[in-house]
Amino acid sequence: MRSLLRTRLRFLALSAALVSPFATASSAVAADDTSTNATAVQPAQWKDVPTESLYADGVDFAYRELGQYNGGTPVVFLVHLAGVMDNWDPRVVDGLAAKHHVVAFDNRGIGASTGKPADTIEQMADDAITFIKAKGFKQVDLFGFSMGGMIAQEIVLKEPSLVRKLILAGTGPAGGPGISSVAGVANYDLLRATFTGQDPKQYLFFTRTPGGIEAGKAYLKRLQERTDNRDKAITLRAYVAQLQALRAWGRKPAADLSVIKQPVLVANGDDDRMVPTSNSYDLAKRLPNSNLIIYPDAGHGGVFQYYEDFVPKALAFLAQ
């Protein structure tokens, strides 16, 4: 009995150590800082935009938006495994918000949003749809990165009329090779980062070449530009739920993506360890109206490493 108790305690300690460094966000959103006057002047940059709250279906969804005065179809951001709003690259958000209304949010039970975290990709998609409709959006563009790209696929399959265009980065189709084993890759690199004193995204998102290492350092520095009203870090409970969702989604039969008629931009690095790059090629082939970008000497975070190229291409794609 004592041996079993010691084993469980060691597991909990290790799990807590894994989740803590993975989420860049470090400080909670204060309860009285989560709403703003709708007539307030719109901040110019992602690092300054206020965090707001929207209640829908029993959940207080934390979100941030900017560029709404651009009008047009809103671009909704769907974040990666263990990610919260502060994990979005400011250069990518600000770049798209220069021309578009951009919205990023924490899904149910993630970051500053309330509720029980979902443990299936399908439920995450349902929750995202709830948020989108509660915002009053009749149609949106979706930018899904990694797990967010999987959620985006489920959204467009569930509610095709809700989606105008999709950008899918660092992701792949259901049942794709390596997706069900993301937990092993993530936890290995989390441990490696812990022992080397680095942020795990340096290993998970970027190659270990000189170019990849420098790009990772620059990306991590950008994530710290926001200093006030930062998001809450993901909890251990939510992280485990997401790993369960990825494992199940990676083992499910492939969906018929030929029914997705919307234009899709697929992007990745040529050496993605988390969601192997072969998935991006496969995804682009399965989608009848897709364009594919593969960045050289880049990993899972290729769109962040090459943001100076990616943002103009994404803007051109959304403007077509």
Side-chain angles (χ1 to χ4, degrees), residues 138-140 155-156 158-164 262:
K138 303 302 181 183
Q139 193 173 53
V140 296
I155 291 174
V156 72
K158 288 172 177 285
E159 299 254 6
S161 63
L162 187 61
V163 181
R164 186 183 74 109
Q262 289 88 340

Side-chain angles (χ1 to χ4, degrees), residues 81 147 180 182-184 186-187 238-248:
L81 167 70
M147 187 182 73
S180 65
V182 165
N187 288 340
Y239 178 62
V240 171
Q242 289 183 346
L243 291 180
Q244 292 173 343
L246 284 168
R247 185 180 302 110

Side-chain angles (χ1 to χ4, degrees), residues 65-292:
E65 64 182 325
L66 68 166
Q68 52 263 58
Y69 302 121
N70 289 316
T73 305
V75 183
V76 176
F77 282 45
L78 302 165
V79 77
H80 59 78
L81 167 70
V84 296
M85 288 183 287
D86 288 329
N87 290 115
W88 284 112
D89 190 331
R91 299 300 178 274
V92 173
V93 182
D94 288 338
L96 294 186
K99 300 290 185 180
H100 295 272
H101 179 186
V102 165
V103 181
F105 73 106
D106 288 331
N107 216 333
R108 179 165 58 94
I110 306 300
S113 291
T114 64
K116 180 182 178 182
D119 59 3
T120 69
I121 300 297
E122 294 83 356
Q123 183 60 56
M124 293 175 194
D126 288 339
D127 293 333
I129 290 170
T130 295
F131 169 77
I132 290 168
K133 290 184 174 180
K135 278 290 291 174
F137 299 147
K138 303 302 181 183
Q139 193 173 53
V140 296
D141 295 329
L142 297 176
F143 175 26
F145 173 58
S146 190
M147 187 182 73
M150 302 168 197
I151 297 170
Q153 292 173 59
E154 290 291 341
I155 291 174
V156 72
L157 289 171
K158 288 172 177 285
E159 299 254 6
S161 63
L162 187 61
V163 181
R164 186 183 74 109
K165 293 186 177 184
L166 301 98
I167 300 174
L168 305 176
T171 193
I179 293 176
S180 65
S181 57
V182 165
V185 176
N187 288 340
Y188 171 76
D189 280 354
L190 286 166
L191 283 173
R192 184 161 58 155
T194 299
F195 287 124
T196 59
Q198 297 192 59
D199 189 297
K201 288 184 287 297
Q202 182 73 68
Y203 293 107
L204 289 166
F205 285 11
F206 300 91
T207 61
R208 300 307 296 161
T209 66
I213 292 171
E214 289 306 310
K217 291 178 180 178
Y219 164 76
L220 293 170
K221 185 177 180 180
R222 294 195 298 272
L223 293 190
Q224 298 302 320
E225 290 176 354
R226 184 184 183 95
T227 56
D228 297 326
N229 191 27
R230 288 181 66 82
D231 204 350
K232 291 182 178 179
I234 190 169
T235 64
L236 173 60
R237 179 190 186 191
Y239 178 62
V240 171
Q242 289 183 346
L243 291 180
Q244 292 173 343
L246 284 168
R247 185 180 302 110
W249 204 76
R251 293 175 177 174
K252 70 180 290 187
D256 179 10
L257 300 184
S258 68
V259 301
I260 299 175
K261 305 304 181 182
Q262 289 88 340
V264 184
L265 179 63
V266 180
N268 205 349
D270 64 355
D271 189 18
D272 188 343
R273 294 181 59 252
M274 289 197 72
V275 182
T277 305
S278 60
N279 285 287
S280 294
Y281 286 102
D282 185 29
L283 187 61
K285 289 179 181 178
R286 292 173 181 268
L287 295 162
N289 192 8
S290 68
N291 292 304
L292 176 65

Side-chain angles (χ1 to χ4, degrees), residues 9-22 194 234 236 239:
L9 289 173
R10 283 196 296 268
F11 172 77
L12 290 174
L14 174 60
S15 298
L18 291 177
V19 174
S20 178
F22 191 69
T194 299
I234 190 169
L236 173 60
Y239 178 62

